Amino acid sequence: MGSEMCIRDRYGFMIIEDASHGIGGKYKDQPIGNCRYSDITVFSFHPVKIITTGEGGMALTNDEALAHRLALFRSHGISSSAADMQVRPNDEIWNYQQIALGFNYRMTDIQAALGLSQMQRLDEFIGNRHTLASRYDSRLTSLPLVTPWQHSDSYSSYHLYVVRLKLDQIEKTQRQVYDAIYAEGVLVNLHYIPVYRQPYYEKMGFKQGYCVQAEQYHREAISIPLFPGLTEAAQDRVVEVIREAVSL
Ligand SMILES: *Cc1c(COP(=O)(O)O)cnc(C)c1O
């Protein structure tokens, strides 16, 4: 664990990294998922993510005790390891005991096989994403958009390529730009709606205006297509469609 975790140690909380998008990325040349700055890192293997197992994901930790508990929770809280089992008088030790309240979070072997084969292509996927992202960077600079800024310490997995519209330089609303792009058959999206604007959290009392910057971002953001199989010709067309959509 890095000294960067000193706030965690001082106040005694734990850090769980939601790195659902982050597999294949790096920070200061170290892979996301090494848990240098967290107790647990999670990846999602949902079909739209960097690699997939159909559904499912992975939790990573360097803490043996946590790893053991995660494995227990994965399978009904049941252990068949002699070290976990209680020896009680007049009890036979059968081949398993339930020692915690778990659930069934198991991945099937078939999913795992897909995941292993996907892992072999991880660097290729991320490399393609980087090539495409830098093509976008150079081709979109002249437009009234903010392209994703990258810190020199970070090597993004580029799960998404989100541009921010400079709405003061565009005579259209975000929705009009979105619709204009979509009408040309280019699948754009909005990532994401600030979580507290969801009805579930609003019921807890969160209101519009709570995170002004997040809301500003939400009014300007549009995700444009980025995936390893995107051809350069298709990407160039996306750029042209965007250019027209943000023009007067
Ligand atoms: C996809 C995603 C999730 C959910 O992942 P599941 O595999 O559906 O559990 C959570 N957080 C972020 C940031 C994600 O992108």
Side-chain angles (χ1 to χ4, degrees):
M1 285 179 196
S3 59
E4 294 82 355
M5 285 171 80
C6 64
I7 297 174
R8 157 202 183 275
D9 296 334
R10 184 172 339 139
Y11 294 101
F13 55 83
M14 294 190 115
I15 300 175
I16 300 176
E17 271 178 279
D18 180 350
S20 292
H21 295 176
I23 190 169
K26 291 181 187 150
Y27 179 66
K28 294 186 176 170
D29 284 328
Q30 300 298 312
I32 305 301
N34 68 356
C35 295
R36 188 170 193 284
Y37 307 103
S38 65
D39 297 286
I40 298 173
T41 304
V42 295
F43 293 142
S44 168
F45 298 151
H46 178 275
V48 305
K49 303 300 165 91
I50 299 282
I51 62 166
T52 187
T53 55
E55 274 287 1
M58 183 180 267
L60 303 99
T61 182
N62 292 322
D63 182 319
E64 254 183 74
L66 270 177
H68 186 64
R69 280 183 75 70
L70 287 165
L72 257 187
F73 289 136
R74 177 173 57 199
S75 201
H76 308 293
I78 291 172
S79 176
S80 52
S81 150
D84 288 331
M85 294 196 226
Q86 297 177 21
V87 183
R88 292 173 302 196
N90 310 319
D91 252 19
E92 293 292 343
I93 290 274
W94 299 105
N95 54 357
Y96 70 89
Q97 281 181 351
Q98 187 201 349
I99 57 175
L101 188 58
F103 200 67
N104 178 356
Y105 293 111
R106 291 188 302 269
M107 177 184 279
T108 66
D109 288 351
I110 296 162
Q111 287 173 294
L114 173 58
L116 287 173
S117 100
Q118 288 266 289
M119 271 304 279
Q120 290 173 1
R121 302 186 61 190
L122 180 61
D123 292 343
E124 168 201 334
F125 290 158
I126 302 289
N128 289 352
R129 286 176 180 276
H130 269 259
T131 306
L132 291 163
S134 64
R135 287 185 93 248
Y136 270 143
D137 290 344
S138 61
R139 282 158 178 74
L140 297 173
T141 41
S142 57
L143 302 182
L145 305 169
V146 181
T147 54
W149 178 80
Q150 295 295 316
H151 193 282
S152 57
D153 282 342
S154 86
Y155 179 76
S156 175
S157 60
Y158 272 117
H159 173 58
L160 298 174
Y161 193 95
V162 182
V163 297
R164 290 180 72 164
L165 305 174
K166 292 182 180 167
L167 288 172
D168 55 342
Q169 298 175 30
I170 302 171
E171 308 251 312
K172 284 182 185 143
T173 63
Q174 177 193 40
R175 183 60 197 261
Q176 286 169 332
V177 172
Y178 179 101
D179 287 346
I181 299 172
Y182 201 89
E184 290 299 316
V186 173
L187 293 186
V188 275
N189 216 324
L190 175 53
H191 297 99
Y192 292 92
I193 301 167
V195 71
Y196 66 90
R197 300 287 291 128
Q198 298 291 352
Y200 178 80
Y201 293 100
E202 288 199 332
K203 264 189 245 156
M204 294 178 182
F206 292 100
K207 290 195 172 65
Q208 188 152 13
Y210 180 66
C211 293
V212 177
Q213 294 297 332
E215 290 175 22
Q216 182 69 24
Y217 173 89
H218 175 229
R219 281 193 293 276
E220 299 171 353
I222 292 185
S223 303
I224 63 176
L226 180 66
F227 50 91
L230 181 63
T231 63
E232 296 193 350
Q235 187 184 28
D236 291 342
R237 175 156 184 276
V238 170
V239 171
E240 282 320 303
V241 167
I242 294 170
R243 186 190 307 282
E244 279 180 29
V246 298
S247 303
L248 298 178

